[in-house]
Amino acid sequence: MHALGCYHGSSRDDDAAVDTGVGSEGGSSASESGSTGDAPTEDVAAGPTGLRLLTPTQYKNSIIDVLGDVAAPAVGQWRSSIAAAQGGVAAAGVEDYEEAALAVTEEIFADPTKRMAVTGCTPTASADDPCVRTVIATLGRRAWRRPLAEDELARWTAVVASTATLLDGDAWLGLQHGVAGLLQSPNFLYRVELGTPVSPDDPLLVRLDGYELASRLSYLVWNTTPDDALLDAVGDGELDDDAGIQVQIDRLFASPRATDGMVQLFVDMLDLDALLYLQKDAALVPAFTPTIGPAMREELVRVIADTVIEGRDVRRLLDTTEGHVDAELAALYGIEGTFDTTFTPVPLPPGRGGLLTLAGFLAINSGEASTSPTIRGLTIRRMVMCQDIPPPPPDVEADLPEPGDGTPMTKREQLEQHVTDPTCAACHGFMDPMGLALEHFDALGGWRETDQGLVIDPSGDLDGVPFADAVALGSLLAEHPQTGDCVVRNLYRYATGHIEQPDEQPTIDLTYAALVDNGHDLTLAVDALVRSESFRHAKLSEEDAP
Amino acid sequence: MKTMHRRTLLRGMMGASAVAVGLPLFEAMLDAHGEALAGGDPLPLRFGVWFWGNGSQPAAWAPAVQGAGWEATGLLTGLAPVKDRINVVSGGVLPVPGVNNPHVEGAVGILAAGNPLLHDSFNGQANDWDFLTVPNPSVDQIAADHLAGSTPFRSLTLAVTPVHTADAGSSNAPGTAISYISHPAPYVFNPPIMDPSELFAALFGAGLPTGEITSAAQARANVLDAVLADAAALRTRLGKNDRTRLDLHLEGIYELQNRLTTVAMGGESCMLPVDPGNPTSERMRAKAFADLVAMAFACDLSRVVSLEFSSPASHVDYPDIGITGAGLGTSFHEYEHQNGYNENVLTGLRYFVELYGEFVAALAALPEAGGTLLDRSCVLGTSDVAGGWDHAMNDYPILVAGGAGGALKSPGVHVSLAGDNAARGPFTCLKAVGVPIDAFGTDQFATSNPVAEILA
């Protein structure tokens, strides 16, 4: 590692990972523990826990998995797992949840065919109707990710009956409202991860119960609520030991839905949902349209999905030669051929290769009209390598000076002060060269041969290792240990809903080792993480102990 | 007619702040003097925040004369039509710490009277503004706790120009205070309605109230009762932080339930307005919001509003005054940094104050009890910095409009705080409408000293 000491955060070399000696075979972890309730014999490092609000995507996915095929909206303000674990719901959010719950249940219950497919029986408005009880119990278990207690069942079957009475005795309407209520309950909207104390000596260390663990698994791999098979497995005690957990992990990864969770990890990590709100200055970036941001996101999702399937090498994300385009993206990339609104895999045109050269990454890391090599470089350090660069000193004017006499300058020329002034160079030396490598791509991610008629020089160095252009930079980053570390770090955050603390580093290390030892197959890193104690426990703060 | 709702009981169980269950404001229920409800409750008081980004020009914006003889000239020219109803509080200093983004420190300091909180995931990124939130509820939410009663909308949150970022809530931007100004708690914000047509639909989409609760509304309220019972059970198992989060969620459920079971509204000026649509002009949007808020107050649909004309830093275009990316090549924020107080910037600063004046005038246009709505309102006009060019925090712009039920000086006066804590301005507006607090804010912002010179 370089000794300039500007960035901080983690630094990774492969020797350290190998030293942990964690192999790729299941069940060999030294820290594994047996059935639920066994106190670990050593200190368990784990993060805080509590209520984890569903992200909008998780909300949508979960509704569909509770009710079946409905037009569920993505509701919620906190779109990453980390933010949702801390963010709250205000009045406007409550209204959104109510409106959505009433709409999706109406879609089912106003349709005689659809509602019979969901319920399998015809309800009556009586207080102890067995059909109502069965429907509430079945849908409630899916929605709340655990069986309802008897008092909860009584409460919600009573709501069905009393609501039916208010609505002219219409039992179907009563049931619709009851189900809509299950979907507004905090037991649905939050993933409740409270655990139970491992030992009376340490009331702050808790172990997640089987249902809570099933939720973690399901949202991690499928980004949705646990399915009936997983909940059945918990009920049968199968998640009480490692072998049973492994059976379920294997089952989840055997499904095509496994890409949903793994893609979401990268959507969180790179903040790709910003593409849903992409804005460019229409006067200066005429190729911008309201649909192009979502199209860029779709390409990234498809490229990511290609690299996170079992047996694939996740590093290919950084140097893939394949993109996915619809007509709009094909035009932006200058790819000849006939395209429509569907996405087609295509070889990327010359000059492009890997995540950094895809339009979505370039567009969200640019200004509204012009590129910013510093922002692009900073994003690569922060979000791709998990290294942070401190902010500029407070007395620095961060806006680039405009050329005094109107003479065109390249960004490299404008940023010259970052190289010549030692105060700037200490940090900008880490950011600008990588950003300048991407100068052939404009603020929307389109290719440009020149900048204001001037020649673009995309060469530079990554911590002293030279590269010729953006594609070569992608190849360097793909092989860089720090990028694998960063994926694992984000995997840990995504799975547990918090930023890792120093004492959790051993879990990051063993997960990283599993990634490296298994040909960078991300699914096997997930296996290792799930086997760790950190995944199965949480530590309450003194203040937060109930 | 529905009986009193169980929510009052549940509130007691939750230990949440007690709320007065207000009475519907039938004209028939006014007493003979028209100044109080027949039961003896006074007519409602209202509270508003009208906020713009990038401040004013320190040492230049305030009138030369103190007291009642101040003149609406210079940057305050736009206040002329409502001058008598405005108290000008100049010379205050906002004691920001100067460690985080100044626009956020200022907005959080003046509206929540505290130092911003940094999100756990912040670890040195350049753009700290994406990680900052309030430490305390914002001033409009403090007012709503006391004033809202059983009005259907506990508070209205509006924005005229696009908020600073679409990223709030993402992993990279979990902060809220650069974009939003209405906060019930840290990391919880009230997302603003940005389209006047949407506000119209929320307030008046179902027409004026009929005085009856529909069975559909009763059914929804019945479901929410069970949701509240679930939450009460869950709450007992939670730690302190999660209890606080869940309580806020519960407040939202109460508010919705309240709206569903409120039977009637009224007031002598209450009538069905026309849907204003969504004008492309930001001035017209601001005006449309002002008129709808006035009617919401007149009908007692709500008593509290937070209107964000532009978010902290004013990182937007103002096409109505020619400040656009295409025209001047940049946002107002960047333009002011690059040019200082040139004529274009001063035009902007005059414009913000003028639109605040138009908002105040909309309240003065509707009669109530022998006066106007403005007589029973306090509308705070302020910003995120004293001066946007250099992030100055001295001579903070603070305008306090309305009669607040007789609590504020009328005609309004100009007073200088002579370097004292600017947070006294918002505190005075809260006190004027009867919010029963003895102090406001935390740390160096804390004050228990309202601006006596503007109190009647």
Side-chain angles (χ1 to χ4, degrees):
Chain A
M1 274 295 151
H2 275 244
L4 282 180
C6 176
Y7 61 77
H8 49 91
S10 64
S11 75
R12 172 72 68 188
D13 62 67
D14 274 331
D15 291 344
V18 172
D19 283 348
T20 65
V22 175
S24 59
E25 299 305 312
S28 65
S29 165
S31 60
E32 91 182 47
S33 77
S35 60
T36 304
D38 284 359
T41 54
E42 55 196 282
D43 278 352
V44 173
T49 187
L51 300 182
R52 297 174 63 178
L53 189 64
L54 297 183
T55 66
T57 306
Q58 288 167 354
Y59 177 89
K60 176 179 177 168
N61 291 348
S62 301
I63 294 267
I64 291 170
D65 287 318
V66 171
L67 292 179
D69 186 19
V70 288
V75 183
Q77 288 169 342
W78 306 97
R79 64 184 190 236
S80 83
S81 291
I82 302 269
Q86 193 160 342
V89 176
V94 169
E95 277 190 77
D96 292 343
Y97 286 131
E98 195 217 18
E99 186 182 347
L102 289 171
V104 294
T105 51
E106 186 180 355
E107 184 183 335
I108 300 285
F109 285 89
D111 180 325
T113 310
K114 283 185 183 169
R115 69 194 186 195
M116 278 307 285
V118 168
T119 64
C121 57
T122 301
T124 74
S126 78
D128 52 357
D129 181 73
C131 172
V132 168
R133 189 180 162 88
T134 303
V135 172
I136 293 293
T138 305
L139 298 185
R141 188 181 77 143
R142 277 184 214 151
W144 295 7
R145 310 163 198 105
R146 60 171 174 82
L148 272 61
E150 189 52 47
D151 64 325
E152 293 167 332
L153 256 179
R155 177 182 308 141
W156 285 99
T157 52
V159 166
V160 172
S162 59
T163 310
T165 305
L166 287 168
L167 299 171
D168 300 327
D170 187 327
W172 281 113
L173 270 180
L175 189 53
Q176 182 220 329
H177 279 75
V179 174
L182 293 173
L183 299 176
Q184 295 173 68
S185 171
N187 295 314
F188 171 70
L189 297 174
Y190 299 88
R191 297 158 58 185
V192 180
E193 294 184 352
L194 299 178
T196 47
V198 171
S199 125
D201 303 333
D202 183 2
L204 299 182
L205 178 67
V206 298
R207 185 175 175 88
L208 302 185
D209 75 19
Y211 288 106
E212 292 168 339
L213 190 55
S215 260
R216 270 205 178 179
L217 289 175
S218 183
Y219 282 97
L220 169 59
V221 182
W222 284 6
N223 206 26
T224 192
T225 201
D227 65 358
D228 287 343
L230 184 51
L231 294 167
D232 287 346
V234 177
D236 295 341
E238 291 174 23
L239 262 63
D240 292 347
D241 62 52
D242 284 342
I245 292 172
Q246 193 63 46
V247 167
Q248 291 300 323
I249 279 280
D250 289 344
R251 184 178 71 83
L252 295 175
F253 270 121
S255 158
R257 302 193 66 173
T259 55
D260 289 358
M262 295 298 98
V263 166
Q264 186 64 41
L265 156 62
F266 287 93
V267 171
D268 276 17
M269 173 176 166
L270 301 167
D271 194 27
L272 300 184
D273 280 345
L275 286 165
L276 300 176
Y277 312 97
L278 188 69
Q279 273 301 333
K280 296 292 170 187
D281 189 319
L284 300 172
V285 186
F288 174 75
T289 68
T291 52
I292 203 164
M296 291 173 176
R297 184 184 182 281
E298 181 62 26
E299 174 182 41
L300 284 167
V301 162
R302 286 164 184 257
V303 168
I304 292 163
D306 283 345
T307 69
V308 296
I309 303 168
E310 188 167 351
R312 298 281 173 88
D313 182 334
V314 72
R315 291 174 297 180
R316 295 291 75 79
L317 178 57
L318 285 162
D319 62 5
T320 180
T321 57
E322 189 176 88
H324 292 256
V325 297
D326 64 354
E328 197 167 25
L329 286 184
L332 182 71
Y333 287 171
I335 296 174
E336 304 281 332
T338 308
F339 299 93
D340 54 22
T341 54
T342 58
F343 283 77
T344 313
V346 290
L348 286 169
R352 289 188 199 259
L355 169 77
L356 305 187
T357 69
L358 297 177
F361 180 87
L362 295 159
I364 50 176
N365 293 298
S366 297
E368 290 209 354
S370 63
T371 64
S372 169
T374 298
I375 288 177
R376 285 174 173 176
L378 182 63
T379 297
I380 294 170
R381 287 286 180 190
R382 276 177 50 205
M383 291 160 75
V384 180
M385 304 179 78
C386 290
Q387 295 168 333
D388 280 318
I389 310 278
D395 54 342
V396 166
E397 178 54 63
D399 295 318
L400 288 179
E402 290 297 320
D405 58 1
T407 312
M409 291 169 79
T410 62
K411 280 287 189 321
R412 190 179 290 272
E413 289 164 340
Q414 290 180 51
L415 291 169
E416 186 60 25
Q417 188 194 2
H418 288 174
V419 180
T420 53
D421 181 339
T423 315
C424 306
C427 288
H428 280 276
F430 289 103
M431 302 181 282
D432 295 1
M434 288 194 286
L436 288 167
L438 305 176
E439 271 296 285
H440 272 303
F441 306 101
D442 64 24
L444 196 60
W447 178 266
R448 57 181 184 183
E449 198 56 46
T450 58
D451 178 10
Q452 302 168 84
L454 304 173
V455 173
I456 292 168
D457 171 11
S459 68
D461 77 282
L462 168 58
D463 300 337
V465 182
F467 55 79
D469 57 17
V471 174
L473 172 61
S475 300
L476 269 184
L477 285 172
E479 301 302 323
H480 199 296
Q482 198 57 43
T483 57
D485 177 277
C486 194
V487 169
V488 163
R489 211 164 277 284
N490 277 280
L491 168 66
Y492 188 77
R493 296 169 183 174
Y494 170 66
T496 63
H498 76 283
I499 305 285
E500 72 282 359
Q501 298 299 306
D503 68 336
E504 294 163 86
Q505 184 61 36
T507 306
I508 306 267
D509 288 340
L510 70 85
T511 309
Y512 178 74
L515 182 75
V516 172
D517 293 348
N518 289 289
H520 290 83
D521 179 336
L522 186 61
T523 66
L524 293 171
V526 171
D527 275 12
L529 173 60
V530 168
R531 283 196 300 271
S532 75
E533 295 299 343
S534 300
F535 184 78
R536 300 177 188 187
H537 289 83
K539 264 196 178 140
L540 309 176
S541 68
E542 293 281 353
E543 183 189 49
D544 239 5
Chain B
M1 191 72 82
K2 195 170 168 68
T3 54
M4 183 177 288
H5 210 271
R6 261 184 293 168
R7 66 178 170 273
T8 43
L9 174 65
L10 277 161
R11 277 189 178 239
M13 289 168 57
M14 304 298 165
S17 58
V19 66
V21 178
L23 294 167
L25 187 61
F26 280 128
E27 237 183 295
M29 298 175 76
L30 296 177
D31 70 7
H33 306 291
E35 289 172 355
L37 298 171
D41 288 357
L43 280 168
L45 291 161
R46 291 89 174 192
F47 182 91
V49 170
W50 200 100
F51 180 93
W52 71 94
N54 248 32
S56 191
Q57 185 182 13
W61 70 269
V65 174
Q66 296 204 29
W70 68 276
E71 290 182 35
T73 56
L75 293 177
L76 303 186
T77 302
L79 295 180
V82 287
K83 174 192 166 297
D84 282 353
R85 311 313 312 280
I86 296 198
N87 287 282
V88 177
V89 181
S90 68
V93 172
L94 196 64
V96 298
V99 295
N100 293 125
N101 181 272
H103 296 282
V104 179
E105 285 190 347
V108 169
I110 196 69
L111 295 178
N115 295 310
L117 295 181
L118 261 176
H119 193 268
D120 281 353
S121 61
F122 178 79
N123 47 11
Q125 291 89 332
N127 47 346
D128 69 349
W129 59 84
D130 279 341
F131 296 81
L132 296 165
T133 192
V134 295
N136 310 312
S138 57
V139 64
D140 58 301
Q141 295 302 293
I142 295 171
D145 278 345
H146 179 68
L147 298 179
S150 65
T151 50
F153 296 85
R154 181 174 171 275
S155 65
L156 302 173
T157 310
L158 315 170
V160 176
T161 55
V163 294
H164 179 267
T165 171
D167 289 348
S170 78
S171 54
N172 303 302
T176 58
I178 186 65
S179 304
Y180 305 104
I181 62 166
S182 177
H183 291 84
Y187 299 107
V188 185
F189 60 94
N190 292 312
I193 292 177
M194 305 185 67
D195 171 352
S197 193
E198 192 181 327
L199 177 64
F200 172 84
L203 292 169
F204 301 106
L208 287 177
T210 61
E212 288 177 6
I213 310 173
T214 64
S215 58
Q218 286 182 55
R220 289 163 61 193
N222 191 46
V223 168
L224 292 175
D225 268 349
V227 172
L228 288 168
D230 277 351
L234 175 61
R235 191 177 185 281
T236 62
R237 302 173 55 212
L238 300 177
K240 181 167 169 281
N241 289 343
D242 280 334
R243 266 206 303 271
T244 306
R245 288 169 75 207
L246 191 63
D247 284 347
L248 278 157
H249 191 145
L250 287 170
E251 288 292 325
I253 298 174
Y254 291 131
E255 186 181 340
L256 176 57
Q257 208 177 34
N258 199 22
R259 195 173 311 161
L260 292 168
T261 57
T262 301
V263 293
M265 289 144 289
E268 62 182 274
S269 293
C270 177
M271 57 180 284
L272 195 62
V274 174
D275 183 345
N278 189 20
T280 52
S281 146
E282 77 266 7
R283 175 193 283 273
M284 295 309 292
R285 283 200 302 281
K287 182 77 174 84
F289 274 139
D291 291 341
L292 286 170
V293 167
M295 195 51 78
F297 283 0
C299 297
D300 208 27
L301 289 162
S302 186
R303 299 170 185 169
V304 176
V305 63
S306 161
L307 188 149
E308 186 179 19
F309 179 67
S310 49
S311 46
S314 233
H315 233 299
V316 287
D317 293 349
Y318 299 108
D320 287 359
I321 54 167
I323 304 233
T324 67
L328 297 175
T330 185
S331 73
F332 187 82
H333 175 94
E334 300 295 344
Y335 186 81
E336 182 171 347
H337 272 315
Q338 288 163 12
N339 297 282
Y341 299 109
N342 74 4
E343 196 43 50
N344 281 323
V345 168
L346 293 177
T347 297
L349 302 181
R350 261 194 304 275
Y351 173 66
F352 305 147
V353 170
E354 179 187 340
L355 295 184
Y356 165 76
E358 287 185 5
F359 182 90
V360 172
L363 297 185
L366 292 184
E368 182 182 68
T372 72
L373 293 175
L374 187 59
D375 292 333
R376 307 195 57 80
S377 304
C378 183
V379 183
L380 172 71
T382 193
S383 188
D384 58 327
V385 286
W389 173 58
D390 58 354
H391 305 139
M393 295 290 169
N394 60 299
D395 197 16
Y396 214 84
I398 297 170
L399 303 168
V400 181
L408 285 169
K409 278 251 168 75
S410 183
V413 299
H414 167 217
V415 58
S416 169
L417 295 180
D420 202 7
N421 182 3
R424 292 175 59 199
F427 179 52
T428 310
C429 201
L430 285 174
K431 292 294 284 182
V433 294
V435 174
I437 53 174
D438 296 324
F440 173 58
T442 45
D443 299 321
Q444 74 276 23
F445 295 91
T447 178
S448 55
N449 187 13
V451 184
E453 294 90 335
I454 67 170
L455 293 171

